Amino acid sequence: MSPDKPEKLAKFREKEDLKVTLVGDPEKKVLEAYGAFGEKKLYGKTVTGVIRSTVVVDEEGKVERALYNVKATGHVAKIIRDLGVEA
């Protein structure tokens, strides 16, 4: 989930040739509910923003895995590999 608008996410999905659904939350309500938006440290200062995280939700709506403060480099590939899905 991203605070970006669905149109921007659709362009990113196409550019990266992703097969997974990307969901936008411009109002940040769901991001806040999952603890993925709020206060964080950035270069030693406290700011409000997206807390880079991954929450894997199954078909029933149950959270299977929640990872916070993840690093962007290699993270998507690792999650895809761990879950055994195709991007």
Side-chain angles (χ1 to χ4, degrees):
M1 177 151 308
S2 165
D4 293 331
K5 292 182 179 180
E7 300 81 17
K8 183 175 181 180
L9 293 172
K11 287 180 184 178
F12 177 77
R13 182 178 189 243
E14 185 176 315
K15 177 184 169 215
E16 297 295 326
D17 194 31
L18 298 174
K19 309 266 187 294
V20 296
T21 302
L22 301 176
V23 181
D25 180 26
E27 290 81 31
K28 302 168 192 77
K29 291 180 181 183
V30 177
L31 288 167
E32 289 174 348
Y34 278 99
F37 189 88
E39 285 190 357
K40 63 181 185 174
K41 294 284 186 181
L42 185 63
Y43 303 111
K45 294 183 179 182
T46 300
V47 297
T48 301
V50 174
I51 300 165
R52 191 178 299 270
S53 49
T54 299
V55 179
V56 179
V57 181
D58 70 12
E59 298 86 8
E60 317 285 310
K62 178 182 171 199
V63 174
E64 285 189 9
R65 190 178 305 181
L67 306 162
Y68 294 92
N69 298 312
V70 299
K71 303 293 181 203
T73 305
H75 179 67
V76 172
K78 180 182 180 333
I79 290 295
I80 289 170
R81 189 174 54 250
D82 289 354
L83 295 175
V85 297
E86 293 185 34

